[in-house]
Amino acid sequence: MRGALTLLIGLMLAACGADDTPAPPVPDEATARTIAQGELIGFTETSTGAQVWRGIPFAAAPVGDLRWRAPRPAPAFEGRLEALASSERCAQMTTPLDQGQGIEPGLLVGREDCLYLDIYAPAQAAEGGDLPVMVWIHGGSNVWGYAAQYDASQLVADQNVIVVVIQYRLGPLGFFAHEAIRDTAGTDLDRGANFALLDQTAALEWVQANISAFGGDEDRVTIFGESAGGYDVAGLLVSPPARGLFHRAIIQSGGLDTVALEAAEQGGDGIVNPSREAAAEFAGGQTAEALRAASLEEIFETYHEGFAFGVELPRMIADGVTLPTEGIREGLTDPEWFNDVPVITGTNFEEMKLFNFLDSQLVRSWFGVLYTARDADFYDALAQYQSRVWRINAVDSMAQSLVDDGHEDVWAYRFDWDEGGRFLFMDLGQLIGSGHAVEIPFVFNRFEFFGRLDGALFTDANAEGRESLAAAMGGYWAEFARSGNPGAGGGDFPEWPRWDDGGQLMRFDTPQAGGLEVIEGVATFEQLGEDLATDPRLTPEQRCEIVVRIEQWDRSAAQRVRDRVDC
């Protein structure tokens, strides 16, 4: 992974060129607003005319005795708040993904006082307006990421919606199951274990109370998120504290897996860093006082030790407070837990290419700068089968179970864009393809997301096609936020039908690659296994290697596939 990010540095030297850091924003009186916390002022984004407010606190700082408690109300502003810059990120370990921004991995950055949000509104938004509101929950395995990564100014200008980008506690501060915390709870919600979900709920409560001041309609709130953010959207769909705070939900490359409360706290079943074991190391004891007195450095180093990508710990814990004890998947068909709203769920055709690109066993490097697949056919086949597992779990099985339970307002998609640029003999369209997170720039219509990789991935040669695709995706997402039905995306696009028993997904791609089309069929593990067993691109040994690699991500899926492949 380190080598792949070194690629970004070398590859983009020519594209980066001179320092193009934008000038600090200037307060604009047209953005002055008064809310319950006091008066604040934002700025107007020059290129789009969007109004922007950044770094607004939506809850009290979860520090000291408030560590590992549900968020408390945000304090009043001290004077007029100049909401011009996003908050510092929530405490986290930097990962190889930070190298794209010139930051070394393995560093503790951020702070506990991080519960802030950014708001983007179109130029014509007015106080007391009725524009649909879209609340973005960032990804990063629930251990990494921050609001400043996402600029929604183009999306709001294009689609006439309000976008709110939120931060939430990450890693061990966001997910922590411990008896001492439950025993010292000041409220029922303090007894939960998913403090990240409680932060997201507090942000949604803030939106309900305040978004009308920025031109938004509190009765039309859509939550949307990618990867871990997609998981969190799925979690909020079955989280009682979030009931009634949102009205539609979009899951981009998410999932439904949960960890049992006892396993998260005590260990077992392959759980890494269960809470009691970690607490003994970073706190030297198991009392609430000792846990809350531990330093950030001690906490994060405990969870980071021996793990290269940030930190490792149980997440999305079935605590019976924020999530059902039976788990997210079961909660989706239980009316006592399910927040019954329209849902879109989808994945990318080659999700796993982003991860496989960073695997030296699969990709060859020259001088740490140029990369090619060691075996192109195997590289493509591996990613496609791994990604089909992701789709089955996060899209087809979820959509089908909702429809079977009588929930009709379900839509599904597959994102197929794989036209990334070439650099000498390195083909990013083949190496990264329609990999994990590649759809995000299309939804936001802003092709500045992967840092130094952007200039090589998004080129003049693919500009026309990707701009067309971005217009369609933004249109569908915004129409869903407006009406609860993506329909024709508010424009001249194909009708996007609901999921039915035969399976119907919208395929997103450029006009040059077949464009927008509805594809039918329900993906199953049985069909995946049959296809793998007869795939002419693969040797018997390669088929078995694919099963092994699937097992590293999903043991249950691998077993179902293995039954049909002679390994």
Side-chain angles (χ1 to χ4, degrees):
M1 186 172 283
R2 288 177 182 268
L5 269 296
T6 301
L7 157 68
L8 310 189
I9 297 172
L11 185 62
M12 295 313 302
L13 284 177
C16 290
D19 183 10
D20 58 356
T21 302
V26 177
D28 181 354
E29 285 297 327
T31 66
R33 300 287 188 273
T34 300
I35 60 175
Q37 291 161 266
E39 186 180 357
L40 75 165
I41 189 169
F43 65 95
T44 297
E45 203 275 331
T46 304
S47 64
T48 63
Q51 296 180 328
V52 183
W53 299 264
R54 289 178 174 156
I56 305 173
F58 65 81
V63 301
D65 187 58
L66 293 184
R67 177 189 285 174
W68 291 312
R69 293 190 190 277
R72 279 17 181 198
F77 303 145
E78 295 181 3
R80 186 192 226 193
L81 174 68
E82 289 196 347
L84 306 179
S86 298
S87 165
E88 187 175 353
R89 60 175 86 181
C90 288
Q92 59 194 260
M93 300 297 293
T94 57
T95 76
L97 296 176
D98 285 291
Q99 284 189 298
Q101 310 296 335
I103 303 172
E104 287 296 312
L107 304 176
L108 177 60
V109 297
R111 62 185 186 182
E112 286 190 82
D113 180 8
C114 66
L115 300 185
Y116 296 78
L117 54 78
D118 299 343
I119 300 174
Y120 298 82
Q124 65 270 32
E127 293 185 64
D130 61 353
L131 296 180
V133 181
M134 304 181 71
V135 178
W136 175 255
I137 304 174
H138 72 74
S141 296
N142 275 324
V143 302
W144 180 85
Y146 47 98
Q149 291 173 288
Y150 304 91
D151 185 329
S153 56
Q154 191 65 56
L155 175 59
V156 304
D158 291 344
Q159 303 299 339
N160 202 32
V161 297
I162 306 287
V163 174
V164 181
V165 180
I166 67 174
Q167 294 195 155
Y168 55 96
R169 281 173 281 184
L170 299 168
L173 298 180
F175 302 90
F176 192 74
H178 200 287
E179 183 180 14
I181 299 301
R182 296 191 294 274
D183 288 346
T184 57
T187 70
D188 289 342
L189 295 184
D190 286 345
R191 295 180 58 79
N194 301 296
F195 299 97
L197 291 182
L198 291 171
D199 293 343
Q200 294 158 18
T201 299
L204 292 171
E205 291 174 337
W206 189 98
V207 166
Q208 286 293 311
N210 297 287
I211 204 62
S212 64
F214 303 88
D217 181 356
E218 67 271 17
D219 293 324
R220 286 191 296 171
V221 174
T222 298
I223 54 174
F224 69 134
E226 184 270 346
S227 192
Y231 266 93
D232 296 342
V233 169
L236 292 169
L237 278 170
V238 296
S239 186
R243 189 181 296 274
L245 299 179
F246 62 94
H247 313 94
R248 309 89 161 84
I250 304 174
I251 301 170
Q252 298 173 211
S253 304
L256 305 176
D257 293 338
T258 49
V259 178
L261 179 66
E262 182 177 359
E265 184 169 358
Q266 305 288 350
D269 195 30
I271 295 297
V272 176
N273 290 328
S275 301
R276 291 190 65 84
E277 179 181 299
E281 184 170 343
F282 70 70
Q286 304 289 346
T287 68
E289 293 78 8
L291 296 174
R292 293 189 169 111
S295 70
L296 284 180
E297 291 77 11
E298 292 170 320
I299 294 172
F300 277 85
E301 187 54 41
T302 296
Y303 289 93
H304 177 67
E305 186 176 0
F307 189 68
F309 197 91
V311 297
E312 180 58 32
L313 72 160
R315 285 152 288 183
M316 302 304 283
I317 301 165
D319 58 6
V321 176
T322 61
L323 293 178
T325 54
E326 295 82 8
I328 294 174
R329 188 178 299 277
E330 290 73 11
L332 290 171
T333 55
D334 186 337
E336 292 188 9
W337 291 93
F338 181 49
N339 297 321
D340 190 359
V341 301
V343 175
I344 292 175
T345 183
T347 56
N348 297 354
F349 181 58
E350 298 170 314
E351 292 278 1
M352 292 299 297
K353 276 194 173 179
L354 180 67
F355 305 99
N356 294 346
F357 172 53
L358 308 174
D359 188 335
S360 61
Q361 293 182 349
L362 299 172
V363 175
R364 180 183 292 109
S365 165
W366 280 267
F367 313 110
V369 173
L370 297 173
Y371 288 68
T372 60
R374 294 183 181 275
D375 181 329
D377 284 343
F378 178 71
Y379 186 82
D380 287 344
L382 171 64
Q384 289 163 12
Y385 284 112
Q386 291 172 312
S387 302
R388 283 172 66 177
V389 171
W390 201 322
R391 171 186 158 176
I392 292 167
N393 286 328
V395 181
D396 296 65
S397 65
M398 174 184 178
Q400 194 62 50
S401 65
L402 286 172
V403 169
D404 288 346
D405 201 54
H407 184 72
E408 297 180 351
D409 290 333
V410 182
W411 291 263
Y413 74 86
R414 194 184 80 192
F415 175 81
D416 281 19
W417 185 86
D418 62 354
E419 299 167 23
R422 293 173 177 266
F423 185 80
L424 299 178
F425 55 83
M426 183 176 66
D427 182 358
L428 292 178
Q430 198 265 329
L431 285 172
I432 295 179
S434 53
H436 193 60
V438 173
E439 90 286 359
I440 295 175
F442 290 83
V443 171
F444 282 79
N445 195 13
R446 185 178 180 86
F447 295 93
E448 298 174 4
F449 182 71
F450 293 102
R452 291 168 175 150
L453 183 60
D454 290 326
L457 191 61
F458 306 123
T459 66
D460 290 343
N462 60 42
E464 182 179 356
R466 59 182 163 82
E467 289 168 3
S468 172
L469 180 55
M473 293 185 72
Y476 282 114
W477 264 237
E479 182 58 33
F480 183 68
R482 271 188 288 272
S483 67
N485 182 343
D492 297 325
F493 305 118
E495 182 71 17
W496 185 352
R498 290 172 171 82
W499 180 274
D500 61 19
D501 286 339
Q504 295 193 99
L505 297 87
M506 179 63 77
R507 173 185 177 269
F508 287 108
D509 210 337
T510 63
Q512 298 90 325
L516 310 173
E517 64 173 342
V518 176
I519 56 177
E520 297 183 351
V522 179
T524 65
F525 288 117
E526 290 73 21
Q527 187 62 55
L528 189 156
E530 292 177 9
D531 292 345
L532 178 57
T534 58
D535 194 322
R537 295 174 294 180
L538 302 169
T539 67
E541 292 75 18
Q542 288 175 325
R543 294 187 181 103
C544 293
E545 183 177 349
I546 288 175
V547 173
V548 170
R549 286 180 175 268
I550 289 174
E551 188 171 29
Q552 293 169 357
W553 288 78
D554 189 325
R555 285 181 292 173
S556 175
Q559 184 56 51
R560 298 179 69 176
V561 172
R562 191 188 301 273
D563 291 343
R564 295 177 180 270
V565 180
D566 185 16
C567 290

